[in-house]
Amino acid sequence: MWEYTDKVKEHFLHPKNVGEIPDADAVGEVGSLACGDALRLYLKVDDQGRITDARFQTFGCASAIASSSALTELVKGKTLDEALKITNKDIADYLGGLPKEKMHCSVMGREALEAAIRQLRGEAVPTPELEGELVCECFGVTDVQIRRAIEENDLKTAEDVTYYTKAGGGCGNCIPEIERILAEVRGTAPEKKAPEGPPKKLTNIERIQLIQKVIDEEIRPRLQADGGDLELVDVDRTRVYVSLRGACTHCPASELTLKDGVEKRLREVVDPEIQVLEAN
């Protein structure tokens, strides 16, 4: 269970500046419902370029609501140039900190602010496809977003990148690319891992134990980081039956998670003939 500061709890339970500004001068929108988080930020700006009002609408977790609330409090009264200097770390610091697994909520706030100001200034609001190359297909995260998160927050592991950007939190196929970007940005070579192959001559018990181990140690932590989960239900020769839990239950990308994430990894580690099926 994550530990939240009193200020996070306060901004979650009693969020400031919730709602729409019908005659807003700028609107910034980031995220998507498919990813589980979305934020729309409204700004009202006076003739001197000072933000006089800020409101938000969000679909997300407690941290997303608290981060959005904090963002609106931080930007009010600032000029646009001053507001652009607000980083995701400033949002997290304002709240007394966020669980590292939820830092992506503060990043989403910073991105919404940037999108709103770009729109106000008549600049093109970048889409992931336009700004960099797509790295994480599950959550639509580009290499530019990953590099920025690494540099601004001194991230050191692929797990950190997932916490801040959600990249790698779905099927996990992009983790090698995230590690490569990490090594490039930090100027370090990625650790060389010994080549893995399916173990030979597994007994039935060994096969089930290995499947359970891969699910518990590799797959579930990634899904749990985003509010989802997965449970091993049964194993019938090469057929592995699982049940999705939490946010994965209604996720549009659940089929992708099962086939390109879970099944692919189990085929690499356990048996190339494995089929992963969702239990009824």
Side-chain angles (χ1 to χ4, degrees):
M1 182 64 70
W2 297 301
E3 292 291 333
Y4 292 110
T5 66
D6 290 340
K7 202 160 185 180
V8 171
K9 294 175 186 174
E10 171 63 22
H11 277 267
F12 166 55
L13 295 173
H14 307 287
K16 316 292 184 186
N17 312 308
V18 177
E20 180 182 0
I21 299 178
D23 58 343
D25 295 306
V27 179
E29 187 169 353
V30 295
S32 70
L33 296 182
C35 297
D37 289 313
L39 168 62
R40 184 176 295 152
L41 176 69
Y42 301 88
L43 298 180
K44 193 70 180 171
V45 181
D46 66 15
D47 294 339
Q48 284 70 49
R50 192 171 295 276
I51 298 170
T52 58
D53 195 8
R55 296 186 177 274
F56 75 93
Q57 294 173 316
T58 187
F59 175 84
C61 60
S63 296
I65 294 170
S67 294
S68 302
S69 175
L71 172 65
T72 56
E73 289 291 273
L74 281 168
V75 301
K76 283 199 293 188
K78 285 185 168 56
T79 66
L80 296 178
D81 288 336
E82 289 170 342
L84 274 177
K85 294 177 182 176
I86 294 173
T87 67
N88 73 282
K89 187 173 183 303
D90 293 327
I91 297 171
D93 288 347
Y94 179 89
L95 293 168
L98 285 169
K100 63 180 182 180
E101 294 88 345
K102 292 295 180 182
M103 284 299 291
H104 64 270
C105 296
S106 63
V107 174
M108 187 170 66
R110 194 278 316 284
E111 291 177 346
L113 174 63
E114 189 174 278
I117 294 177
R118 282 191 184 218
Q119 187 238 344
L120 180 62
R121 290 177 166 172
E123 300 172 3
V125 178
T127 64
E129 290 75 16
L130 290 176
E131 195 174 48
E133 296 182 3
L134 187 64
V135 174
C136 177
E137 294 183 0
C138 297
F139 293 108
V141 185
T142 69
D143 64 329
V144 171
Q145 293 170 295
I146 292 172
R147 289 173 193 278
R148 185 172 181 177
I150 294 169
E151 291 169 348
E152 291 185 350
N153 299 282
D154 192 26
L155 305 185
K156 295 180 174 61
T157 68
E159 188 177 43
D160 289 339
V161 173
T162 300
Y163 292 150
Y164 279 72
T165 68
K166 302 185 83 170
C171 69
N173 287 344
C174 60
I175 289 179
E177 178 62 10
I178 293 172
E179 291 175 336
R180 188 195 67 75
I181 295 172
L182 259 171
E184 185 177 308
V185 174
R186 299 189 64 84
T188 59
E191 282 189 25
K192 290 186 178 179
K193 297 181 179 178
E196 295 178 337
K200 298 179 180 177
K201 297 181 180 177
L202 292 175
T203 66
N204 287 336
I205 292 178
E206 288 173 335
R207 173 191 293 266
I208 294 171
Q209 288 175 334
L210 184 55
I211 290 170
Q212 185 72 69
K213 183 174 186 291
V214 173
I215 289 176
D216 287 346
E217 296 183 1
E218 297 185 28
I219 297 170
R220 293 186 67 207
R222 291 202 297 267
L223 298 179
Q224 289 171 343
D226 195 40
D229 204 350
L230 178 145
E231 179 182 324
L232 177 62
V233 175
D234 197 6
V235 178
D236 180 10
R237 298 182 182 178
T238 58
R239 293 185 176 182
V240 177
Y241 294 92
V242 299
S243 179
L244 295 171
R245 296 281 188 267
C248 293
T249 307
H250 304 293
C251 179
S254 60
E255 183 66 20
L256 188 68
T257 299
L258 289 180
K259 293 302 176 186
D260 288 359
V262 183
E263 183 175 274
K264 182 178 181 181
R265 185 56 180 155
L266 291 179
R267 285 181 172 181
E268 291 172 345
V269 178
V270 183
D271 187 330
E273 301 298 322
I274 274 181
Q275 286 182 286
V276 172
L277 304 168
E278 190 167 4
N280 294 324

